[in-house]
Amino acid sequence: MEKCEFNYSNKPKKCHILRLIEVSLHYFQFIFGSKRVIIGDSLLDGRGSTAGEVEINLAESLETIVDNNAVGGYSLEDIFESDACSSDAKCTQWSVVNGGMNGDKKKAIELMMSIVDRELSSGRNVIIQGYLEDCGGEASGTDFTAFMDGYANIASSTGGVWFIDPRNLPDHPLMGDPCNPESDIYRADDNSH
């Protein structure tokens, strides 16, 4: 299997979010060795078009085991039922989660807080991975902005929680311009993430 290499030149879309997650997890990589568990939807689904490369590359980069239990199409209710870091004795530090695009966006903050509370109460730290904005599609508008702002508020007001907000990285080469189809080499075909 070909490993995703990054030099910000014409790379395949299957690596579109991998580098952002890798850089983000490196930022939060205070102690090596503890297993990482990812839960979420298609944004982090490593078994979809990336054919397992998300967890393979993250595991190599972080020198640990990464279980990716994200599933495309999952709502936050489904994600809550996924095997998270709190359900794995070998995952002692970091739970990585995303969600909110599928299902009722108006309930996203409340549902995400349920996941965060569960992970924190088990002694884990939480990284919430936010979504890339699109250009007038599902990842834009009032409901989208509200739950993304809500996730930022959860992180700013809750110890042990961090929010990776791609809206704050507008010039990062992985983000591209959602309104410019020529800039989407790291985005999904539907430009939603």
Side-chain angles (χ1 to χ4, degrees), residues 88-110:
D88 189 327
K90 293 181 181 177
C91 182
T92 60
Q93 297 175 349
W94 294 104
S95 186
V96 180
V97 61
N98 87 292
M101 290 299 298
N102 304 311
D104 187 349
K105 291 184 181 89
K106 292 180 181 185
K107 294 182 179 178
I109 299 166
E110 173 189 342

Side-chain angles (χ1 to χ4, degrees), residues 26-57:
H26 265 299
Y27 179 77
F28 297 110
Q29 180 65 18
F30 302 127
I31 301 172
F32 282 85
S34 176
K35 182 179 191 178
R36 304 310 193 257
V37 176
I38 299 170
I39 57 173
D41 59 23
S42 61
L43 180 72
L44 300 178
D45 182 358
R47 292 174 296 249
S49 64
T50 62
E53 289 187 20
V54 170
E55 44 283 345
I56 290 168
N57 283 271

Side-chain angles (χ1 to χ4, degrees), residues 92-157:
T92 60
Q93 297 175 349
W94 294 104
S95 186
V96 180
V97 61
N98 87 292
M101 290 299 298
N102 304 311
D104 187 349
K105 291 184 181 89
K106 292 180 181 185
K107 294 182 179 178
I109 299 166
E110 173 189 342
L111 294 168
M112 180 61 76
M113 196 65 218
S114 296
I115 295 170
V116 167
D117 284 342
R118 180 191 65 205
E119 298 303 293
L120 290 174
S121 69
S122 71
R124 276 59 169 194
N125 295 300
V126 178
I127 299 172
I128 303 171
Q129 174 63 59
Y131 294 90
L132 307 170
E133 290 183 284
D134 62 21
C135 190
E138 288 293 314
S140 60
T142 306
D143 291 342
F144 172 80
T145 300
F147 83 71
M148 290 285 285
D149 289 347
Y151 294 173
N153 289 337
I154 289 170
S156 68
S157 64

Side-chain angles (χ1 to χ4, degrees), residues 61-73:
S61 177
L62 298 172
E63 300 176 11
T64 190
I65 297 168
V66 175
D67 281 353
N68 190 344
N69 297 325
V71 177

